[in-house]
Amino acid sequence: NTSCVDCAGVLNGDSVEDACGICDGDNSSCADCAGVPNGDALEDECGVCDGGETDPENCGSSEITDGCDLPDSPTTSYLHLTADGSVLYKSLDDIGGFQFNVDGADVNEASGGDAGSYGMQLSALNATVLGFFFGGGPIPAGCGTLVELDITGDATGLSGIVVSDAGGGALIFEYYEGD
């Protein structure tokens, strides 16, 4: 009698086919992007499951264009250098001064950004940028463009980052490369 044989061919066995037709399967071999066996959900052009986007130009970008695009962290603040020389920041604390090196390039001039808006004195020599207050300041905690750099060379990032609060105490800052 074959009615007592399971899908694995075992007499009186308990193996059954899953929704995908696989004996003792887990329904994953025919699952769509939403995890539904034999479902019809597909990823759209942006990689969103069951999304509706058909034009990859509308998918947006993970490119960092503003300091507020930098990661949120309860303990760490970030700097990021854009291809056009903008140094973006996201700071947990007020900034009283900073120093960093631009890797792979020389800095011809440092100006503008929130450092310029708040009256910070800016200096650039070779690959090093320095910003400090002779009174005034600090730059309030938050995010934005710290300073605009005119650079020569192929800048690959920032290193030697030192950032202080208004009293000269060290703040924890890291360079964020992006995705």
Side-chain angles (χ1 to χ4, degrees), residues 3 14 31 81 106 157 171:
S3 64
D14 59 2
L81 178 63
D106 283 335
L171 299 177

Side-chain angles (χ1 to χ4, degrees), residues 85-133:
S86 296
V87 177
L88 308 177
Y89 74 99
K90 184 179 264 186
S91 181
L92 298 170
D93 303 285
D94 294 350
I95 299 173
F98 63 83
Q99 178 177 330
F100 55 78
N101 298 318
V102 178
D103 300 331
D106 283 335
V107 181
N108 304 314
E109 183 181 11
S111 63
D114 288 345
S117 295
Y118 285 93
M120 185 174 264
Q121 302 298 308
L122 297 168
S123 178
L125 179 63
N126 299 323
T128 303
V129 177
L130 178 67
F132 59 92
F133 287 104

